[in-house]
Amino acid sequence: MNLALLILVILYLLGTLAIGAWAGSRIKDTSDFAVAGHRLPLYMVITTSFATWFGAETVMGIPAKFVEDGGLSAIVEDPFGASMCLVLVGLFFAPKLYRMKLLTIGDYYRNRYGVLIEILCSILIILSYLGWVAAQITALGLVFTVLSGGAISLPLGMIIGTVLVLIYVIMGGMLAVAYTDFIQMIVLVIGLSYIAWFSADLAGGADKVIKLASERELFKFFPSGGFHEWMLFIAAAITMMFGSIPQQDVFQRVMSAKDAPTARSGAVIGGLCYLAFAFVPIFIVVASLIIMPDQSEHLLESDPQKVLPTLILERMPFFAQVLFFGALVSAIKSCSSATLLAPSTSFVENVLRHLWPTLDDKHMLTAMRVSIFVFAALVLTYAIQMQGTSIYEMVSAAYQVTLVGAFVPLVFGLYWRRATTQGALLSIIFGFSVWIPLTFVESLSELFPGPLGGVLASVVGMLVGSLLPEIIPNRQTTESKMYHVHPAHMGDDEMATK
């Protein structure tokens, strides 16, 4: 057991609780809690956007898949698709959505299509977070298990990590997430950069690491097969690139900006920074194949996600170990904190409010905190049940739900005036009607990839439903209502105007 290192990690986690308590003292309403009062400067929007994706799968999942499954072509979904998601959000979605001053992405669906589509899309978004947050919780449990030498079991490690993250998120909401993201991303960049430099030295130079990757043909990006292989490649690329656009955690981080230009620039820069820095842990894992070849090959066969932690613990000095696990915990916490907050916010704002119409802002804030606790318990249970599933697989599966159900109504609603409630409903129905059999019926899944088939069917549903004679009334609000928001969601200038 590496007791000193374990104690330092726990102290680091406890330190974030102090930030949560401080941020909690600044929470005045649901806008502060959910979107940091729309007042974050550019550098904080960049770090919190960057932190959107830099989690457990980036540090342990992506490098393992890169080495084990064939290089760049195996990780087109993440980091390539994930980073381009933020770039697309910044260029095509952030400016339009920011001007609406919405609390959640579900509010957009209500304003554009009515309550039915709001509830349906919000439920899909909430469900999609099970796999994503479970991946972060699993990684936290793995950290405690590795550092304790197995004395802390994986389920117990998950429970400890969940409780520590849960406390500061409940206290400080998005303000706590934004401030801790800023600190944690500094720790992460410094820590992993040092580890990469040290790994290159142990491997005999960065050129040898790059040469090994080239010899193993790990730099091959595009598929070399026929039609089916290309369809699988495209499906993987769009799963996170498009499927994560209608996500509450992406929305709330971008919408926390102080103005629309900041929201746009922060998302684009954050996405590009993520793409560049995601290759640092990949470099370290490839270096491990030179530094400890036999052990690395064995771990790649048995548990690829342990290659990087094992390299750090067995071949690097204590200072490097502290930096690595500080960076790893920072990455996991930055992801898990906002992804615990996001579905809980969506549930209260877009589902509970319809069940409890008299809910005022004070009670909404309480309900958000209670729902965070409930969702964390559900995710923890799911993560424990899914032991053995790779972190990368849990993350990629999460976004297929929103890809086939929520993405098309969002895009067409923003860019096609003729999109209707009937079109949005058929889009969701068509998308799932095709995605479910293509994904879960083995004989069909071999014919065509489910995510691609689902999103194409979703587009067809939107076009058919919007162009056919109207059976389901269109529930789009008027332009004036579209931009009317609760006073708690407004900035100071808007309140003064009112």
Side-chain angles (χ1 to χ4, degrees), residues 3-60:
L3 185 60
L5 191 54
L6 181 60
I7 290 172
L8 285 173
V9 168
I10 293 175
L11 288 175
Y12 176 73
L13 286 167
L14 291 174
T16 61
L17 300 184
I19 298 174
W22 173 77
S25 67
R26 303 185 66 188
I27 299 293
K28 298 177 183 178
D29 51 43
T30 53
S31 178
D32 286 340
F33 191 80
V35 288
H38 299 291
R39 59 174 178 263
L40 295 185
L42 178 60
Y43 67 90
M44 292 193 77
V45 177
I46 292 172
T47 54
T48 199
S49 297
F50 175 77
T52 303
W53 298 130
F54 213 104
E57 77 293 341
T58 314
V59 180
M60 295 189 293

Side-chain angles (χ1 to χ4, degrees), residues 464-475:
V464 170
S466 298
L467 296 176
L468 282 178
E470 195 173 274
I471 300 174
I472 300 172
N474 190 24
R475 301 297 184 183

Side-chain angles (χ1 to χ4, degrees), residues 123-138:
I123 290 173
L124 295 178
I125 290 168
I126 291 167
L127 289 175
S128 73
Y129 279 103
L130 276 175
W132 175 250
V133 188
Q136 314 309 316
I137 297 303
T138 299

Side-chain angles (χ1 to χ4, degrees), residues 74-94:
I75 57 171
V76 62
E77 190 168 342
D78 191 6
F80 293 100
S83 62
M84 288 304 101
C85 161
L86 288 176
V87 173
L88 292 174
V89 166
L91 294 177
F92 301 107
F93 296 89

Side-chain angles (χ1 to χ4, degrees), residues 14 84 103 264 272 321 325 392:
L14 291 174
M84 288 304 101
L103 190 66
R264 180 186 62 245
L272 294 176
Q321 294 174 11
F325 283 99
Y392 194 96

Side-chain angles (χ1 to χ4, degrees), residues 160-177:
I160 294 170
T162 302
V163 170
L164 291 173
V165 173
L166 182 63
I167 292 173
Y168 90 87
V169 176
I170 287 179
M171 287 191 297
M174 189 59 201
L175 274 176
V177 170

Side-chain angles (χ1 to χ4, degrees), residues 126-399:
I126 291 167
L127 289 175
S128 73
Y129 279 103
L130 276 175
W132 175 250
V133 188
Q136 314 309 316
I137 297 303
T138 299
L140 269 178
L142 186 62
V143 169
F144 285 110
T145 300
V146 170
L147 291 182
S148 66
I152 297 176
S153 66
L154 184 59
L156 180 58
M158 291 180 188
I159 294 170
I160 294 170
T162 302
V163 170
L164 291 173
V165 173
L166 182 63
I167 292 173
Y168 90 87
V169 176
I170 287 179
M171 287 191 297
M174 189 59 201
L175 274 176
V177 170
Y179 286 117
T180 53
D181 277 354
F182 179 69
I183 296 170
Q184 288 167 176
M185 289 307 100
I186 293 174
V187 173
L188 187 148
V189 169
I190 294 174
L192 286 183
S193 296
Y194 175 79
I195 296 296
W197 173 80
F198 200 89
S199 298
D201 187 59
L202 289 177
D207 58 325
K208 290 189 176 181
V209 178
I210 296 171
K211 182 181 178 182
L212 176 63
S214 179
E215 289 173 350
R216 291 193 170 207
E217 297 185 344
L218 296 178
F219 293 135
K220 185 181 73 171
F221 183 73
F222 294 107
S224 55
F227 175 79
H228 185 68
E229 191 172 335
W230 269 98
M231 290 303 99
L232 290 173
F233 179 81
I234 294 171
I238 66 172
T239 294
M240 289 187 73
M241 188 187 304
F242 295 160
S244 51
I245 288 176
Q247 285 286 354
Q248 175 61 18
D249 63 317
V250 175
F251 174 86
Q252 68 190 31
R253 292 183 186 223
V254 174
M255 295 306 114
S256 297
K258 64 180 182 178
D259 52 41
T262 301
R264 180 186 62 245
S265 300
V268 172
I269 297 171
L272 294 176
C273 288
Y274 172 70
L275 179 60
F277 206 74
F279 284 95
V280 175
I282 289 175
F283 176 88
I284 298 170
V285 168
V286 175
S288 74
L289 297 174
I290 299 175
I291 299 168
M292 47 178 209
D294 295 336
Q295 195 169 8
S296 294
E297 294 290 355
H298 173 71
L299 286 172
L300 285 173
E301 293 178 3
S302 58
D303 193 350
Q305 294 165 167
K306 287 186 177 179
V307 173
L308 195 48
T310 302
L311 171 68
I312 303 301
L313 287 174
E314 296 190 4
R315 299 301 178 97
M316 297 200 175
F318 183 73
F319 176 68
Q321 294 174 11
V322 172
L323 283 179
F324 171 76
F325 283 99
L328 177 58
V329 171
S330 294
I332 296 168
K333 284 178 72 277
S334 65
C335 267
S336 56
S337 57
T339 47
L340 276 177
L341 177 64
S344 307
T345 305
S346 291
F347 171 74
V348 173
E349 170 72 4
N350 304 117
V351 179
L352 186 62
R353 270 184 60 183
H354 298 294
L355 302 174
W356 190 356
T358 58
L359 195 66
D360 60 21
D361 194 72
K362 179 180 178 181
H363 288 96
M364 274 187 68
L365 188 55
T366 302
M368 285 180 184
R369 285 176 164 142
V370 172
S371 64
I372 290 172
F373 177 83
V374 173
F375 187 76
L378 292 173
V379 167
L380 179 60
T381 303
Y382 179 78
I384 292 173
Q385 292 296 319
M386 293 295 290
Q387 287 183 67
T389 305
S390 80
I391 291 171
Y392 194 96
E393 287 176 8
M394 278 195 279
V395 169
S396 67
Y399 291 105

